[in-house]
Amino acid sequence: MSRWTLGVILVLATLASVLLSVRLGSVPLSTAEVVGALGGGADPVVRDIVVRLRLPRVLLGVFVGGGLAIAGATFQALLRNPLAEPYILGISGGASVGAVLVLAFGWMAAGSWALPLAAFAGAIFAIFLVFRVATATGRAMDVRVLLLAGVVVAAFFSACIAFILSISPARTVQSAVLWIMGSLAGATWRSVALTAIYTTPAVLLLMGLARSLNLLAIGEETAHHLGADVERVKRIALGVAALITASGVAVAGVIGFVGLVVPHAVRLLVGSDHRALLPLSFLAGSAFLTLADLGARLALAPIEIPIGVITAFIGVPFFLVLLRRSVTTT
Amino acid sequence: MMAAGCSPDAPPPHASDSGPGTAGGATTEIVLQDASERTVRLEGPARRIVSLVPSATQTLMEMGAGDRLVGRTDFDTAEWAAGLPSVGGGLEPNLEAIVALRPDLVIRFAGSQDRRTPARLEDLGIPHLAIRPDRVRDVLEAVRMLGAATGLQAEAADLVARISDGLDRVEARVEELPRRRVAYVLGGTPPWVAGPGTYIHELVTLAGGDNVFADLGDLYAAVSPEEVRSRDIEIVLVSGVDAFDASLAPDARIHVVDASIEIPGPDLADAALRLSELIHGPMEAPASPDGGGVRDP
């Protein structure tokens, strides 16, 4: 498939999923009501549902889904590992420890910003820790060390979470599990604005590094011979991808599979030229997460199921098919 | 006053099974049918009790059997319980700690969440009694059963009367009042609310509220925020530490309640009273002298 064809399809798919997600929800509304609410009229309840609950939530899905997918594509290129995904450096573990600490100590009372802030701090701490380990071994950043450090740090964080939860009341465990599984339900215009301000330049920066990522994906030595400033590109791209992931985790919890599956799917369709792969992954991630959230809201409405359940239910079969296909073609 | 004592509507089906055993005369053996449908035989009234169920611990205390308790769980946080050794959690407790306390009866949760403990107690030859403090009716049932197990039937009947009387007064009071649309939120994002299968739903209903989430199929469930916004809630009761986004219910009164009311126990009439006061405003004075009269004996 041509990258332009896929680009047009994905732009349309993202727009369609946004419109559909604003139109549909657990409270049934008519198209006229939704349009009326967007125009500022209508009943205050309908207006609140459309303008203050659904719209920010859908837009947050666009930025978080896109951000996770582009971060995943970047990690897969830099770590040259098909299993790489945004959380591979222990970011989800760090963020979860932050969130669980807030829940366990009742710091939620301090304000609704306490949990995202702590999750973000935890994610940044994990990134810092892993990068320090990976750069301490020598002058150059060794991606194998980075991977191993990420796995080990993640294991340490999950032990921390298990420990905190084992001494917490059932209610805290419940809240923590819900948070860890991810949800866009907490979206507000403020969280959308923060995520957008944060994600947009990061995404543009990564797309600017697309050519260097193409070289790096072949191999660091080759890239070096072809004139890429390997160390600089690696550090900037890893840092930026990690920060995108950290902001996504902070506002939406740990949403798995978007960052793993979406870049692979796009790569299968248009190849691994990062000049196309990165923007198309962003679009596909946006559409995928927005639709997954719609599924999470509608499947058992009025009950909401964790969005991570939907992304995994779609992501796992897809990934297995992908694996089979890659085995049979080689 | 005696009429109040007879008011518990249903005859106590399980605890009454102990009647023949205890009334047998020569033998003091107590035979009970517990909440997991097991027949429990005790050689006599239990004297060394390890309670794995916090509401049972509290019930025993209120029946005047506090001195028979030799062990509690980490969840018994009342001051008077602090002196007792803890055996860990109510589910999957520390068995060594239980054995070391040489109990002649262990009170445990009925149900399948912890299959290991009853099996191990069985192996160890320690009598155990399952109770199921899930609903209002269960609480009264559990009081009667604990009364039978300790030989304190009269005290248990008295406690049942006190609880029933308290509930009757709350019900009588809210009967004439308009019912209010109530949501009970336990926090979380998305909001985690109490559904129709919960004890808290029963309590809210008793206290003159209509649970706006009575249509949920579950005990507790996370619902879409727009459901909270669209259900014309008059009163939001928020428990626990998670912040509730007040803009989801801009027209409602929001009260923070202590999560302890979610645990069914012998103080359930007080809990119902507190909820009714949150829903309908403070209860008028004349009701209290009556209550004092029942409480005194």
Side-chain angles (χ1 to χ4, degrees):
Chain A
M1 187 184 293
S2 128
R3 59 183 62 172
W4 293 109
T5 319
L6 185 64
V8 171
I9 291 175
L10 286 179
V11 167
L12 293 177
T14 307
L15 281 175
S17 59
V18 166
L19 291 177
L20 205 62
S21 298
V22 176
R23 170 69 184 77
L24 300 175
S26 72
V27 176
L29 299 175
S30 70
T31 308
E33 280 177 306
V34 173
V35 172
L38 289 172
D43 172 70
V45 174
V46 175
R47 204 168 55 228
D48 272 4
I49 288 176
V50 174
V51 178
R52 295 193 42 219
L53 295 173
R54 283 190 195 168
L55 205 50
R57 181 173 186 153
V58 171
L59 294 178
L60 192 67
V62 166
F63 283 107
V64 171
L68 286 174
I70 201 169
T74 307
F75 278 121
Q76 285 163 8
L78 291 169
L79 303 177
R80 286 186 299 284
N81 187 324
L83 277 174
E85 43 111 19
Y87 304 128
I88 199 148
L89 299 184
I91 295 173
S92 56
S96 301
V97 168
V100 168
L101 279 175
V102 167
L103 292 168
F105 287 100
W107 293 332
M108 285 298 285
S112 56
W113 45 265
L115 201 150
L117 192 70
F120 188 74
I124 297 295
F125 178 67
I127 295 166
F128 175 76
L129 206 63
V130 171
F131 275 37
R132 274 303 293 267
V133 172
T135 47
T137 49
R139 284 157 309 176
M141 182 186 274
D142 187 335
V143 292
R144 287 167 311 168
V145 177
L146 198 66
L147 257 174
L148 282 175
V151 170
V152 170
V153 164
F156 178 75
F157 284 138
S158 40
C160 293
I161 295 165
F163 173 67
I164 299 166
L165 292 186
S166 70
I167 55 168
S168 299
R171 169 192 302 269
T172 305
V173 178
Q174 179 66 48
S175 298
V177 167
L178 271 185
W179 185 87
I180 287 172
M181 293 181 124
S183 172
L184 295 172
T188 59
W189 280 110
R190 198 173 47 173
S191 62
V192 172
L194 275 175
T195 313
I197 289 171
Y198 196 94
T199 308
T200 311
V203 164
L204 293 176
L205 192 62
L206 284 182
M207 289 188 340
L209 292 174
R211 273 177 53 80
S212 309
L213 287 177
N214 281 346
L215 298 178
L216 269 172
I218 306 167
E220 288 186 17
E221 216 166 311
T222 323
H224 178 72
H225 290 311
L226 291 172
D229 186 347
V230 172
E231 277 314 296
R232 197 173 139 266
V233 172
K234 255 183 356 192
R235 281 167 202 240
I236 293 176
L238 279 172
V240 169
L243 288 175
I244 293 178
T245 309
S247 76
V249 158
V251 291
V254 183
I255 301 175
F257 279 101
V258 180
L260 176 66
V261 161
V262 169
H264 278 305
V266 175
R267 201 176 284 114
L268 267 178
L269 292 170
V270 298
S272 45
D273 179 353
H274 288 82
R275 286 172 301 178
L277 181 61
L278 295 183
L280 294 179
S281 291
F282 185 91
L283 286 172
S286 297
F288 179 57
L289 196 64
T290 311
L291 288 176
D293 184 51
L294 186 62
R297 288 185 284 145
L298 289 182
L300 294 178
I303 294 167
E304 248 181 51
I305 54 178
I307 191 168
V309 172
I310 304 276
T311 57
F313 274 6
I314 304 170
V316 171
F318 178 83
F319 197 65
L320 291 177
V321 170
L322 199 76
L323 273 182
R324 231 188 103 208
R325 188 169 153 164
S326 70
V327 168
T328 48
T329 50
T330 50
Chain B
M1 218 143 292
M2 284 326 287
C6 300
S7 74
D9 38 316
H14 295 331
S16 67
D17 292 354
S18 67
T22 40
T27 173
T28 54
E29 190 186 48
I30 296 174
V31 183
L32 294 163
Q33 186 84 13
D34 78 0
S36 46
E37 309 297 324
R38 272 175 64 257
T39 302
V40 178
R41 289 171 195 281
L42 304 177
E43 285 172 17
R47 308 225 166 262
R48 294 184 61 81
I49 303 172
V50 170
S51 171
L52 303 178
V53 183
S55 72
T57 315
Q58 204 187 337
T59 302
L60 288 167
M61 186 65 187
E62 296 204 10
M63 282 177 0
D67 56 343
R68 311 227 191 144
L69 282 163
V70 294
R72 61 169 176 105
T73 68
D74 290 343
F75 299 96
D76 295 290
T77 47
E79 238 169 82
W80 56 262
L84 290 170
S86 171
V87 297
L91 297 169
E92 311 248 326
N94 180 342
L95 282 162
E96 285 187 23
I98 294 178
V99 172
L101 293 169
R102 291 175 292 109
D104 58 9
L105 181 63
V106 173
I107 312 288
R108 65 171 180 90
F109 285 102
S112 55
Q113 294 140 295
D114 178 9
R115 292 176 186 280
R116 196 184 53 145
T117 302
R120 299 289 287 136
L121 289 172
E122 204 70 32
D123 291 345
L124 293 162
I126 299 172
H128 54 102
L129 183 73
I131 65 172
R132 188 195 309 275
D134 289 346
R135 311 297 297 257
V136 169
R137 179 176 291 272
D138 297 333
V139 171
L140 301 179
E141 181 84 355
V143 172
R144 293 192 195 99
M145 204 186 299
L146 290 170
T150 50
L152 300 172
Q153 284 94 337
E155 288 81 351
D158 191 55
L159 182 55
V160 167
R162 247 192 287 158
I163 297 170
S164 307
D165 186 60
L167 290 177
D168 288 348
R169 275 187 293 133
V170 173
E171 274 185 309
R173 188 227 173 189
V174 300
E175 213 168 31
E176 304 117 50
L177 297 170
R179 300 192 70 78
R180 300 283 182 206
R181 296 176 58 78
V182 176
Y184 193 94
V185 181
L186 296 92
T189 305
W192 184 247
V193 301
T198 59
Y199 165 73
I200 206 72
H201 170 90
E202 264 189 304
L203 216 52
V204 165
T205 309
L206 265 170
D210 283 335
N211 185 0
V212 298
F213 289 109
D215 62 324
L216 297 185
D218 290 72
L219 293 175
Y220 297 95
V223 294
S224 281
E226 61 189 61
E227 292 291 335
V228 178
R229 182 65 184 91
S230 67
R231 294 204 175 197
D232 296 320
I233 301 165
E234 292 176 279
I235 293 140
V236 182
L237 301 172
V238 186
S239 83
V241 291
D242 290 25
F244 173 72
D245 179 1
S247 71
L248 289 179
D251 306 321
R253 277 190 285 129
I254 298 173
H255 294 291
V256 176
V257 299
D258 193 291
S260 65
I261 70 158
E262 287 155 25
I263 300 158
D267 54 359
L268 79 90
D270 294 331
L273 178 64
R274 268 184 290 155
L275 277 191
S276 78
E277 294 192 329
L278 287 178
I279 294 170
H280 294 290
M283 201 160 181
E284 57 282 7
S288 50
D290 276 13
V294 176
R295 238 162 226 284
D296 278 343

